[in-house]
């Protein structure tokens, strides 16, 4: 009897080892197809629901991609960006200034309820953001990449942490590099992920200082193409808090490598975009992609999105699977 059960334990351990070997997980414990058994249709549901919304409101693709970035840089990719303010926590990340322009929460909520109908209590909101971000890029004719899943949802969301960890559009290259490095991302990830600005729009206030009062002397930013400054001044008047400007004029709904062409021509919209020309490694990448129509950009973007998606994830028994993405259970 004792021998038998010892034998079963050995067999069991052996099988476990084999399972671990045959289902590669990345360093953070996420893996492609995490829901293969518990919710095999999850990726199809996410894709269909996202496409349903984007076909009616295509401009939501960009903020949905940005949402994943904002989630991951604050407390890791744990869905904390989705939490609504409540009486108990009036200052969640959502209420912080950089999040005031996030949009598309209704898409996440709709995906979550569609998924809950089929597999209740199984799929995290953090994974839904990661999958929706990928599908939004694909919707805009960008690359497809496999999204490792298995994230769990956090219970904490703090507005001051959003201010602390999200890079401002005024950031210089050393600030950007250290903020990405602090999240385990490389200089290459920085220059690759910055090209997410190939889609979407920005409010004038994020770059108006470059047009009107760069150093407090009523001057313009010398690192920006003067013709581009003139064009932007037509759209953005001093103190404009409402106007939206395309970040990649003419193709803001197409995910392509144009971003690098613009930056190389000193037409990056933010100081953080222009800063990519001030470091030898990021500049070399910008020039290479600009001169080769983004020869490796699509492949690189998928790799860097997976890297970003690994930041500070909760796995195993940490965190929870939220019932509703806007509230902790
Ligand atoms: C490198 C540092 C970054 C800075 C300083 C930055 C800053 C900003 C700012 C200020 C806006 C304009 C928001 C508005 O006015 O509505 C914006 C928009 C956007 N950002 Fe970034 N960002 C950075 C990196 C990223 C990354 C890594 C991603 C995604 C992978 C991303 C995706 C986007 C998208 C898609 C938009 C357009 C949003 C829309 O159309 O509503 N950004 N970003
Ligand atoms: C969460 O808050 C937003 C406003 O920030 C509101 O539009 C939305 O309806 C809220 N969600 C829920 C489920 O209460
Ligand atoms: C939010 O984070 C800040 C640090 O950025 C900390 O000082 C503060 O206590 C936190 N607030 C809550 C409610 O945890
Ligand atoms: C870059 O920005 C950081 C943070 O604002 C600042 O401390 C640093 O002095 C700046 N570096 C340069 C070279 O301007
Ligand atoms: C430019 O900035 C300086 C310093 O912040 C300020 O004193 C001045 O009034 C500004 N000029 C304009 C035209 O906004
Ligand atoms: C824009 O917002 C700033 C800060 O909230 C405010 O001081 C300024 O008056 C606003 N400008 C306009 C034209 O409404
Ligand atoms: C999406 C969202 O919740 N935006 C909020 C950002 O914060 C301001 C207040 O600071 C709210 O008014 C917005 O609703």
């Amino acid at each position: 009897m004792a021998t038998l059960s010892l034998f079963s334990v050995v067999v069991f351990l052996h099988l476990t080892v084999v399972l671990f070997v045959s289902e590669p997980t990345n360093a953070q414990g996420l893996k492609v197809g995490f829901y293969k058994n518990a919710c095999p249709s999850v990726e199809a549901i996410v894709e269909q629901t996202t496409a349903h919304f984007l076909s009616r409101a295509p401009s939501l693709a960009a903020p949905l991609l940005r949402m994943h970035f904002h989630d991951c840089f604050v407390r890791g990719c744990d869905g904390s960006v989705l939490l609504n303010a409540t009486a108990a926590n009036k200052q969640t990340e959502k209420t912080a200034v950089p999040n005031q322009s996030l949009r598309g929460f209704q898409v996440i909520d709709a995906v979550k309820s569609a998924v809950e109908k089929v597999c209740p209590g199984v799929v995290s909101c953090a994974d839904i953001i990661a999958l929706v971000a990928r599908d939004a890029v694909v919707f805009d004719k960008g690359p497809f990449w496999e999204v490792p899943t298995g994230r769990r949802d956090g219970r904490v969301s703090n507005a001051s942490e959003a201010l602390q960890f999200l890079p401002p559009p005024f950031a210089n290259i050393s600030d950007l590099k250290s903020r990405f490095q602090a999240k385990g991302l490389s200089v290459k990830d920085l220059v690759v992920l910055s090209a997410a600005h190939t889609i979407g729009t920005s409010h004038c206030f994020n770059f108006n200082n470059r047009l009107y009062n760069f150093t407090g002397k009523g001057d313009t930013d010398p690192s920006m193409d003067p013709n581009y400054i003139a064009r932007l001044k037509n759209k953005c008047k001093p103190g404009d808090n409402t106007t939206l400007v395309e970040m990649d004029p003419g193709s803001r709904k197409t995910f392509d490598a144009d971003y690098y062409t613009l930056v190389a021509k000193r037409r990056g919209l933010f100081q953080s975009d222009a800063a990519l020309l001030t470091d030898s490694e990021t500049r070399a990448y910008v020039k290479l992609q600009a001169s080769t129509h983004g020869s490796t950009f699509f492949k690189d973007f998928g790799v860097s999105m997976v890297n970003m998606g690994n930041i500070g994830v909760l796995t195993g028994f940490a965190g929870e699977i939220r019932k509703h993405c806007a509230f902790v259970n």
Side-chain angles (χ1 to χ4, degrees):
M1 196 57 196
T3 333
L4 232 184
S5 49
L6 180 63
F7 177 75
S8 346
V9 168
V10 170
V11 168
F12 174 74
L13 283 178
H14 182 70
L15 280 176
T16 315
V17 169
V18 169
L19 275 179
F20 270 117
V21 170
S22 65
E23 305 238 334
T25 56
N26 67 25
Q28 284 69 25
L30 304 180
K31 64 182 180 192
V32 171
F34 178 84
Y35 297 111
K36 197 171 58 187
N37 299 320
C39 193
S41 57
V42 61
E43 297 207 20
I45 297 171
V46 174
E47 199 273 319
Q48 282 157 19
T49 312
T50 307
H52 171 76
F53 273 84
L54 293 185
S55 59
R56 288 181 302 169
S59 76
L60 286 179
L64 285 168
L65 170 58
R66 186 173 179 231
M67 193 184 287
H68 188 35
F69 166 52
H70 281 211
D71 187 30
C72 293
F73 265 62
V74 188
R75 285 197 168 263
C77 317
D78 68 342
S80 54
V81 71
L82 302 174
L83 292 174
N84 265 17
T86 59
N89 184 2
K90 296 194 179 69
Q91 307 257 288
T92 58
E93 288 169 33
K94 240 186 196 184
T95 70
V97 169
N99 283 341
Q100 291 177 11
S101 55
L102 282 183
R103 298 185 295 131
F105 295 104
Q106 73 276 25
V107 180
I108 304 293
D109 289 343
V111 168
K112 175 68 171 174
S113 58
V115 170
E116 287 295 294
K117 278 197 190 112
V118 181
C119 1
V122 169
V123 179
S124 68
C125 298
D127 278 341
I128 288 175
I129 303 181
L131 292 167
V132 167
R134 187 269 312 277
D135 293 343
V137 169
V138 172
F139 184 88
D140 277 357
K141 305 188 179 62
F144 174 92
W145 62 93
E146 296 284 1
V147 177
T149 45
R151 296 171 190 80
R152 291 170 61 88
D153 297 322
R155 296 190 179 93
V156 178
S157 182
N158 178 333
S160 45
E161 290 177 347
L163 289 176
Q164 185 183 341
F165 293 110
L166 293 170
F170 317 105
N172 60 38
I173 193 70
S174 46
D175 191 13
L176 290 168
K177 281 161 77 171
S178 65
R179 284 167 182 274
F180 273 63
Q181 191 184 32
K183 298 294 167 192
L185 297 183
S186 67
V187 174
K188 181 166 183 185
D189 292 322
L190 166 65
V191 66
V192 169
L193 293 173
S194 293
H197 293 166
T198 176
I199 54 173
T201 56
S202 166
H203 292 82
C204 295
F205 56 69
N206 289 312
F207 55 87
N208 250 357
N209 65 320
R210 308 184 73 194
L211 313 181
Y212 294 108
N213 206 358
F214 192 59
T215 65
K217 296 179 190 140
D219 51 347
T220 58
D221 183 344
S223 73
M224 189 185 250
D225 169 4
N227 296 318
Y228 202 51
I229 289 186
R231 206 201 286 183
L232 289 170
K233 278 181 163 175
N234 281 331
K235 301 194 167 135
C236 299
K237 297 302 165 198
D240 184 332
N241 290 336
T242 50
T243 305
L244 292 171
V245 169
E246 295 175 288
M247 296 196 288
D248 178 358
S251 77
R252 75 178 158 96
K253 289 179 190 166
T254 311
F255 192 100
D256 55 25
D258 282 0
Y259 172 82
Y260 295 111
T261 316
L262 285 170
V263 171
K265 289 203 285 200
R266 312 199 320 149
R267 293 178 169 206
L269 195 55
F270 305 142
Q271 282 162 265
S272 64
D273 299 316
L276 299 175
L277 290 177
T278 65
D279 167 90
S280 57
E281 184 179 349
T282 54
R283 181 175 56 242
Y285 188 87
V286 168
K287 298 255 159 129
L288 176 70
Q289 300 307 323
S291 62
T292 58
H293 300 290
S295 54
T296 61
F297 170 53
F298 272 22
K299 188 174 98 338
D300 294 340
F301 193 77
V303 171
S304 288
M305 285 297 285
V306 170
N307 293 341
M308 186 176 88
N310 284 336
I311 298 172
V313 293
L314 302 172
T315 54
F317 296 103
E320 62 185 20
I321 302 296
R322 267 178 227 153
K323 292 190 172 68
H324 191 299
C325 289
F327 303 102
V328 296
N329 291 343

